[in-house]
Amino acid sequence: MSGAARAVRLGAVVLLGFSLACAKPLWEQPPPQAREAPIVRPGSLTRSTLPNGVQVLVLEDRRLPLVSIGVAVRRGAGAVAPERAGLGSFTAELMNRGAGDRGARALAEFVDSM
């Protein structure tokens, strides 16, 4: 190896060592600033609703020959109408405790017979 190549290699090692010794770890550095820009290009996101009420979002990106499909289902408390909030937990608790003169088993049998 020539003297110039050794000098360049030594300089690179010294510079790398100095930068590693002086830099803070990533978890101690502040996060990068958020960009003030849309996440997707305008016009590339299409929203539509099918006749059965299913909402469809299509994000077209022709950079890769790839198709990706994802499904998100509303569930839990987010899927319940506000006027019916708590009805499921109330019914479950009622089935566990019973109601009036009926215990939990008697109530379950009564509901099954309906």
Side-chain angles (χ1 to χ4, degrees):
M1 188 178 330
S2 69
R6 281 188 190 152
V8 169
R9 181 177 277 178
L10 180 62
V13 169
V14 169
L15 182 61
L16 179 63
F18 182 73
S19 65
L20 291 175
C22 294
K24 287 183 177 179
L26 288 177
W27 59 86
E28 291 181 3
Q29 295 179 10
Q33 293 293 322
R35 291 181 11 186
E36 292 292 330
I39 296 173
V40 297
R41 292 186 324 272
S44 63
L45 183 66
T46 306
R47 297 172 188 249
S48 61
T49 304
L50 299 179
N52 62 358
V54 173
Q55 295 180 350
V56 178
L57 295 148
V58 177
L59 176 60
E60 190 173 337
D61 186 359
R62 295 183 178 262
R63 293 179 290 183
L64 290 175
L66 178 72
V67 174
S68 177
I69 298 174
V71 177
V73 179
R74 290 186 182 170
R75 62 195 187 284
V80 177
E83 61 271 5
R84 299 186 73 183
L87 184 61
S89 60
F90 174 75
T91 305
E93 188 64 27
L94 181 67
M95 293 301 288
N96 284 335
R97 291 186 181 192
D101 295 338
R102 293 186 175 102
R105 184 173 180 89
L107 181 61
E109 288 172 355
F110 175 74
V111 170
D112 284 341
S113 68
M114 293 176 78

